[in-house]
Amino acid sequence: GRSYVRVQLAATAHGISMQPLQQALQEYPEQRVPYTEIHNLLNAPSPKYTVQMWARLGYGPQIEPAPRRGIEAHIT
């Protein structure tokens, strides 16, 4: 968790976008091909190794932060 956040923040600081791709790591029949391809690409055969996180990197449009409500909206 913390390592992923550090990598994502570093990528953002360099103008690179990161998006986690969890579905490819799920162990169900429809995902068998991408699951196997990822493990083969990393030379980490299953079940000896487990790939915990997979993400794609790239350049995308600049996105502004999501608007947040002020503290007054939470205090009654």
Side-chain angles (χ1 to χ4, degrees), residues 14-60:
H14 287 90
I16 301 170
S17 299
M18 278 182 71
Q19 180 182 28
L21 302 170
Q22 292 298 99
Q23 191 170 5
L25 299 178
Q26 299 298 315
E27 299 177 39
Y28 52 89
E30 294 82 2
Q31 293 302 114
R32 186 174 296 123
V33 172
Y35 182 88
T36 302
E37 288 174 348
I38 289 169
H39 281 78
N40 289 342
L41 178 68
L42 298 173
N43 194 24
S46 177
K48 183 177 180 182
Y49 298 98
T50 300
V51 179
Q52 295 291 330
M53 178 62 76
W54 189 250
R56 65 181 176 177
L57 301 171
Y59 297 96

